Amino acid sequence: MNTSVPTSVYAQRRARMAQQLGSNGIAIVPTAPERQRNRDSDFLFRHDSYFYYLTGFTEPHAWLVVTSDGQSTLFCQPKDLEREIWDGYRLGPEAAAGALGVQAAYPVGDLDQQLPRLLENREVVWFPFAIHEGLEQRVAGWLNQVRARVRYGAMCPEQQRDLCAVLDEMRLVKDAHEQDIMRRAAAISARAHVRAMQTCAAMLRAGKDVREYHLDAELMHEFRMGGSQYPAYSSIVAAGANACVLHYRADVAPVRAGELVLIDAGCELDGYASDITRTFPADGRFTGPQRALYDLVLASQEAAAAVTRPGARFTDPHEAAVKVLAQGMLDVGLLDKDKVGTLDDVIEKRAYFPFYMHRTGHWLGMDVHDAGSYVEPGEVGQVSERKDPLSGETIKNRPSRILQPGMVLTIEPGIYVRPGEGVPEHFHNIGIRIEDDAIVTAQGCELITRGVPVKADELEALMRD
Ligand code: GLY
Ligand code: MN
Ligand code: MN
């Protein structure tokens, strides 16, 4: 259970959700299943984010049912001394009402018996669509049991609706408790990046063989020392040319002086993710071409952060970053003016795409790529069409989300230079990304990950010490 957030906060979230279920609806939210890794070993269990958002409860085999009148029922593992000796403590239904503030609790084995009763005489049944394997069939089975009773006057729900839409909107704006946890997660991750950088330089100075996995180990050390439960995603530790592989993992490649190292890693703390990328010279000194591209990526991130504020669109930081990157690519000779034309041409034709092929950010929260629509809800009907200059595809656009205080997003521009015709050789195999996590505030945004330096001079100084 997450004890850093009061039980009343989860009760308030359930009440807010209940108000959106219609006059006579019911919502069913399971936690995640346990997943087998091999034979009788499971992957480390990670609760379902929606379930956790509404309960703070982290045990497997648990379900939440909420009705429009605000009544919550929890199904959880029963107390069982023998199983608890093997697998650990269970809260049990008897203690659940008091501990979680739900109105009723049953052993999870009673689900098939209780659900038809709970569904009877409801108009709409809500559950997360296309997330839990087999849930649709399970709901259908319960509804069938209700239908079998209609001749005795029972009413069966006639509508099924996707609960994700309701919960995604709620999750998009983080409350003070969530922001507090995210700041703490960000601080731990920042320390982990500092530790990995300093270890890298120190090991190279000592003449040691440094591998990507050594730096991964340093990250993990700091995550766990800070109280984080696990990484929020598989850490990327990419030495040299590996940085140009966007979804690279920490592997065995040697980390060599003179090359850059890109680390994209963040911990999960009490259910909330952090997501930081830093790119640094392995031996603590940027070469001229590395520094030129690094300063360009940093300038583009500063431009993106400057427009991250309430009232701006989600796409504004991306557009600001692209403008700086595209101009920089022309200035440093990554793009040839004679071939690609002016800055406007580069943006219009997306000529920067071979070197910058991803978006500048995403929502961040319980999931590293968090829930929440990227389209402004009041404007979904305003569809425009444009032809993509690279693929020739016709793309339908809807107005991008308007930022509000409490939304959290990453700002993560980059440049990735694979060797190719006309690409200046001194830039070959340089991959740089700089990623920080931003909470939208009343005036602008708060970068919560700046516990790890970002300016080139500061990185060099950090690695000298
Ligand atoms: N680490 C995943 C991402 O940056 O989106
Ligand atoms: Mn990210
Ligand atoms: Mn990242």
Side-chain angles (χ1 to χ4, degrees):
M1 243 163 73
N2 177 9
T3 47
S4 67
V5 175
T7 308
S8 59
V9 171
Y10 298 105
Q12 283 158 19
R13 290 179 191 159
R14 293 195 295 271
R16 272 180 64 207
M17 180 185 75
Q19 285 163 7
Q20 299 175 69
L21 302 178
S23 59
N24 193 15
I26 181 167
I28 303 171
V29 191
T31 195
E34 288 187 300
R35 293 193 192 277
Q36 183 186 22
R37 185 166 187 272
N38 53 42
R39 209 165 287 259
D40 60 352
S41 295
D42 286 345
F43 282 105
L44 189 61
F45 178 72
R46 179 8 173 107
H47 53 261
D48 172 78
S49 295
Y50 292 119
F51 177 85
Y52 180 78
Y53 181 69
L54 296 167
T55 61
F57 191 49
T58 52
E59 284 186 26
H61 304 291
W63 296 62
L64 175 72
V65 178
V66 178
T67 48
S68 298
D69 56 4
Q71 298 296 299
S72 297
T73 305
L74 186 89
F75 294 86
C76 63
Q77 300 174 111
K79 295 296 282 180
D80 179 333
L81 183 57
E82 195 195 335
R83 286 318 320 160
E84 290 184 58
I85 287 170
W86 286 91
D87 300 331
Y89 172 79
R90 293 177 174 187
L91 180 64
E94 291 78 13
L100 302 175
V102 294
Q103 281 67 43
Y106 298 98
V108 68
D110 290 1
L111 203 61
D112 287 331
Q113 181 199 334
Q114 293 292 337
L115 256 291
R117 182 186 68 77
L118 286 163
L119 284 162
E120 197 169 299
N121 299 322
R122 303 280 166 197
E123 283 166 18
V124 189
V125 53
W126 299 76
F127 54 91
F129 283 9
I131 290 184
H132 302 275
E133 216 179 307
L135 179 59
E136 282 79 3
Q137 289 86 336
R138 204 129 183 225
V139 172
W142 295 325
L143 291 177
N144 258 327
Q145 289 189 47
V146 180
R147 248 187 231 132
R149 292 177 40 76
V150 291
R151 74 188 74 140
Y152 305 109
M155 300 281 292
C156 185
E158 289 179 355
Q159 278 187 57
Q160 299 185 22
R161 295 196 57 183
D162 187 6
L163 189 61
C164 296
V166 170
L167 292 175
D168 289 354
E169 277 304 295
M170 290 174 63
R171 283 174 53 179
L172 183 53
V173 177
K174 276 70 179 172
D175 64 29
H177 298 282
E178 296 181 289
Q179 290 181 30
D180 173 58
I181 300 172
M182 292 187 77
R183 279 191 194 91
R184 288 190 281 123
I188 296 168
S189 298
R191 287 203 298 275
H193 277 260
V194 168
R195 185 183 176 98
M197 283 179 203
Q198 291 188 318
T199 304
C200 183
M203 283 179 76
L204 284 176
R205 272 198 299 271
K208 294 192 179 147
D209 177 28
V210 186
R211 302 285 169 150
E212 292 165 339
Y213 57 75
H214 289 131
L215 306 186
D216 191 25
E218 297 299 321
L219 295 166
M220 188 59 114
H221 173 93
E222 204 64 40
F223 289 173
R224 292 297 277 146
M225 289 301 278
S228 146
Q229 288 78 13
Y230 19 70
Y233 51 92
S234 302
S235 301
I236 296 171
V237 179
N242 293 336
C244 296
V245 180
L246 295 180
H247 288 163
Y248 189 80
R249 299 277 161 85
D251 209 335
V252 299
V255 176
R256 297 190 187 93
E259 290 185 338
L260 293 178
V261 183
L262 183 154
I263 296 185
D264 182 346
C267 71
E268 181 174 313
L269 179 72
D270 294 348
Y272 286 82
S274 51
D275 185 7
I276 303 181
T277 308
R278 287 292 182 268
T279 310
F280 58 91
D283 56 354
R285 290 201 68 116
F286 284 96
T287 65
Q290 289 168 352
R291 174 79 189 238
L293 295 190
Y294 188 89
D295 287 345
L296 174 54
V297 175
L298 184 57
S300 76
Q301 200 211 28
E302 280 164 1
V307 298
T308 302
R309 55 172 181 252
R313 299 270 177 185
F314 172 79
T315 43
D316 288 352
H318 179 67
E319 282 164 17
V322 161
K323 207 165 171 181
V324 173
L325 288 172
Q327 182 62 57
M329 288 176 198
L330 289 167
D331 295 344
V332 302
L334 266 180
L335 292 174
D336 182 348
K337 291 183 187 65
D338 295 335
K339 290 196 182 131
V340 297
T342 64
L343 172 65
D344 288 344
D345 296 329
V346 170
I347 292 172
E348 173 76 25
K349 295 185 202 136
R350 292 212 291 144
Y352 57 84
F353 191 78
F355 306 112
Y356 184 47
M357 61 300 278
H358 60 76
R359 304 289 291 183
T360 303
H362 51 82
W363 305 132
L364 182 73
M366 287 186 284
D367 302 343
V368 65
H369 293 170
D370 204 35
S373 171
Y374 288 92
V375 172
E376 182 60 23
E379 299 174 344
V380 281
Q382 296 177 30
V383 185
S384 60
E385 285 190 354
R386 67 176 174 83
K387 210 178 172 91
D388 182 77
L390 297 179
S391 66
E393 264 178 86
T394 302
I395 294 173
K396 284 196 195 315
N397 268 333
R398 292 182 169 79
S400 167
R401 191 85 200 209
I402 296 172
L403 300 180
Q404 292 171 38
M407 290 179 173
V408 184
L409 63 157
T410 64
I411 307 178
E412 49 177 308
I415 285 188
Y416 313 89
V417 188
R418 285 172 178 269
E421 208 189 307
V423 177
E425 210 173 317
H426 50 276
F427 291 135
H428 284 187
N429 295 318
I430 294 179
I432 295 168
R433 178 164 64 257
I434 303 173
E435 175 174 29
D436 283 285
D437 303 345
I439 300 180
V440 181
T441 60
Q443 284 82 34
C445 73
E446 175 190 348
L447 297 178
I448 59 174
T449 37
R450 284 295 173 87
V452 51
V454 72
K455 293 199 172 107
D457 290 341
E458 289 172 3
L459 293 180
E460 289 187 342
L462 182 82
M463 296 180 71
R464 267 198 303 276
D465 296 339

